[in-house]
Amino acid sequence: KEMLKFSRCYHLHEAKITRFKRVSKRYCMYMQILAVAYGGVSMFFTYRVQPFIWNYGTFSCALLSVCFYLCWCLARLQLDAAFHLLPEYREGLLVTTGFYTYCSHPLYLFSSLCLCSYLLLIGRPLLLLSMIVIIPVQIWRARQEAQVLREMYGDLYERYIETVII
């Protein structure tokens, strides 16, 4: 009878952990959506304060910003089940298709490019100096992630890295 209680408690605990992982994954997706909504709202208020002069420069920055954002979303969707707050090993979850065929960390690349094009769009090129801090942080995060993936997947990750361009 004690074994049944322990087993039941263990399964309840395991269910709580699984539910926490699912909720945290959903929370992370909501945070991304919130960040993009914040960007859209800030762009709206920036436009209200100082309207854009639509010329070839602002139009190309707006187009690039939208394209980089869509690529960022697509790269995030390609991760799907492999996306976790903390990297963990799961058989067959090393993503090597889509954007990950050409670039080992497209999320970091497209988020930085999207931010740069957005800063140029709103007409604040001095804010590009913030990229002096953001880009090294993105590089550090990519290296940390690569180290964890190298430890988890070993030779499979090494063969993958040899095939990517960036």
Side-chain angles (χ1 to χ4, degrees):
K1 191 156 183 156
E2 287 297 317
M3 187 65 164
L4 287 175
K5 285 183 180 178
F6 175 74
S7 176
R8 183 171 178 246
C9 290
Y10 175 76
H11 289 302
L12 288 174
H13 181 66
E14 187 176 326
K16 286 180 182 179
I17 290 173
T18 305
R19 187 173 42 236
F20 175 74
K21 286 181 180 179
R22 189 173 54 244
V23 167
S24 63
K25 191 173 179 180
R26 189 178 312 138
Y27 173 75
C28 198
M29 183 69 87
Y30 290 151
M31 291 304 293
Q32 288 176 347
I33 291 170
L34 211 75
V36 171
Y38 175 75
V41 168
S42 68
M43 188 169 133
F44 172 75
F45 284 116
T46 302
Y47 181 76
R48 298 281 290 172
V49 171
Q50 180 182 357
F52 300 140
I53 300 169
W54 286 103
N55 55 22
Y56 293 118
T58 55
F59 181 74
S60 61
C61 285
L63 187 64
L64 281 174
S65 184
V66 168
C67 288
F68 289 140
Y69 172 70
L70 291 176
C71 289
W72 181 28
C73 289
L74 186 60
R76 170 62 182 88
L77 288 174
Q78 288 171 353
L79 271 180
D80 194 31
F83 182 79
H84 291 281
L85 296 177
L86 298 173
E88 63 183 45
Y89 178 78
R90 285 189 179 177
E91 189 66 37
L93 284 185
L94 181 63
V95 180
T96 59
T97 58
F99 285 126
Y100 293 88
T101 305
Y102 308 106
C103 177
S104 58
H105 302 284
L107 285 177
Y108 303 133
L109 175 70
F110 290 130
S111 64
S112 298
L113 290 173
C114 183
L115 180 61
C116 285
S117 59
Y118 175 71
L119 292 175
L120 289 173
L121 172 67
I122 63 174
R124 306 272 193 254
L126 277 177
L127 290 178
L128 284 175
L129 291 176
S130 66
M131 297 308 283
I132 292 172
V133 174
I134 293 172
I135 289 176
V137 168
Q138 296 283 49
I139 291 171
W140 177 78
R141 288 175 63 198
R143 285 184 181 164
Q144 292 295 321
E145 185 178 317
Q147 182 180 0
V148 169
L149 290 173
R150 191 172 285 114
E151 290 172 2
M152 289 190 319
Y153 291 99
D155 290 336
L156 182 64
Y157 184 73
E158 292 297 331
R159 284 186 301 225
Y160 163 68
I161 287 298
E162 290 173 1
T163 63
V164 296
I165 298 169
I166 299 175

